């Protein structure tokens, strides 16, 4: 895919499905165990209409206030697991497969009828040293996730690198919430090899 929006050349395309799959049933089991945990409204109110909420699984070290726990501070470098993550074995197992320094890790829920307006998350691309991975847990066919104007369909248990420094938006037109496990990480050699493998796989499928 030709990149037309990023200011400098990019090594990888704006979306890559990683060559790993996770157990959607176990992801949903850990999610369902959070029925008594409070979801916190996303703090960037101007970016969405409806209900977009977050539960922190890894947060800046020392953060105790819920808003500070879900805040994605680009200058923060020390993160720690939250009690919510410590009590969810499969979420921990999933995160352990990522052999790279993990920054913020959050569950992000978009309620039915809600829309995340087009925006950019600056510095979230491999070439800038930080990446964001998405793992869908619950979704539906009416979720419209667009990156650079093109739709991406992501199934529960799949894992994706998305270059979210580019324009992206989401609309949930379905009847159930969309919940993703969202992982911010340092782009180390393991990430580079994983993305290179994903790129080779996608090119092989395309041909």
């Amino acid at each position: 895919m030709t990149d037309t929006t990023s200011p400098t050349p990019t090594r990888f395309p704006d979306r890559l499905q990683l060559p790993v799959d996770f157990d959607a049933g176990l992801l949903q089991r850990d999610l369902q165990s959070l029925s008594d945990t409070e979801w916190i409204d996303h703090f960037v109110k101007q970016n969405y209409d409806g209900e977009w909420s977050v539960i922190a699984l890894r947060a800046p070290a020392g953060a105790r206030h819920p808003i500070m726990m879900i805040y994605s501070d680009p200058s923060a470098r020390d993160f720690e697991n939250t009690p919510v993550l410590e009590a969810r074995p499969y979420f921990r197992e999933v995160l352990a497969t990522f052999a790279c320094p993990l920054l913020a890790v959050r569950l992000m829920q978009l309620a039915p009828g809600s829309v995340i307006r087009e925006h950019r998350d600056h510095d979230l691309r491999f070439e800038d040293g930080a990446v964001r991975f998405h793992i869908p847990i619950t979704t539906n066919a009416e979720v419209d996730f667009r990156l650079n104007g093109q739709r991406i369909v992501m199934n529960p248990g799949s894992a994706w690198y998305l270059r979210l420094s580019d324009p992206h938006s989401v609309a949930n037109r379905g009847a159930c919430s969309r919940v993703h496990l969202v992982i911010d990480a340092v782009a180390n050699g393991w990430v580079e090899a994983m993305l290179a493998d994903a790129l080779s796989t996608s090119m092989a499928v395309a041909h």
Side-chain angles (χ1 to χ4, degrees):
M1 181 176 298
T2 301
D3 180 271
T4 60
T5 60
S6 297
T8 57
T10 56
R11 177 174 175 189
F12 297 108
D14 63 358
R15 69 204 69 191
L16 282 170
Q17 183 171 356
L18 305 183
V20 293
D21 287 295
F22 300 104
D23 188 313
L26 292 179
L27 287 167
Q28 290 160 10
R29 180 202 66 187
D30 274 11
L31 176 64
Q32 289 164 1
S33 74
L34 291 167
S35 58
D36 294 332
T37 303
E38 182 182 5
W39 290 83
I40 305 300
D41 289 343
H42 198 289
F43 52 89
V44 188
K45 302 288 188 180
Q46 67 269 24
N47 277 0
Y48 66 96
D49 294 313
E51 299 177 32
W52 187 24
S53 53
V54 184
I55 292 175
L57 300 183
R58 280 180 62 81
R64 295 295 179 264
H65 190 280
I67 294 296
M68 296 308 297
M69 291 176 72
I70 69 170
Y71 176 56
S72 183
D73 181 357
S75 66
R77 284 295 174 264
D78 294 324
F79 290 80
E80 60 188 9
N81 293 351
T82 68
V84 171
L85 177 58
E86 294 296 349
R88 300 318 178 287
Y90 193 63
F91 288 166
R92 294 200 316 273
E93 182 178 332
V94 169
L95 295 182
T97 67
F98 289 82
C100 53
L102 300 182
L103 305 174
V105 178
R106 295 163 291 172
L107 296 170
M108 304 191 80
Q109 176 175 241
L110 188 66
S114 300
V115 173
I116 302 172
R117 300 188 190 99
E118 185 175 272
H119 67 286
R120 299 170 182 252
D121 296 306
H122 296 291
D123 300 327
L124 272 178
R125 62 177 195 156
F126 171 83
E127 292 78 10
D128 292 326
V131 293
R132 177 166 291 175
F133 300 115
H134 273 246
I135 301 173
I137 300 177
T138 64
T139 189
N140 64 77
E142 299 304 314
V143 169
D144 188 355
F145 188 117
R146 291 187 180 266
L147 177 56
N148 286 318
Q150 296 187 332
R151 189 177 183 188
I152 308 173
V153 176
M154 295 178 277
N155 295 318
S158 63
W160 294 77
Y161 162 70
L162 304 173
R163 193 173 66 227
L164 297 182
S165 57
D166 288 3
H168 59 283
S169 62
V170 192
N172 183 1
R173 302 186 180 97
C176 68
S177 290
R178 185 212 75 161
V179 179
H180 281 196
L181 174 59
V182 179
I183 303 165
D184 290 351
V186 174
N188 66 358
W190 179 88
V191 169
E192 182 177 17
M194 172 71 79
L195 297 185
D197 189 10
L199 180 58
S200 295
T201 300
S202 68
M203 293 175 67
V205 170
H207 291 87

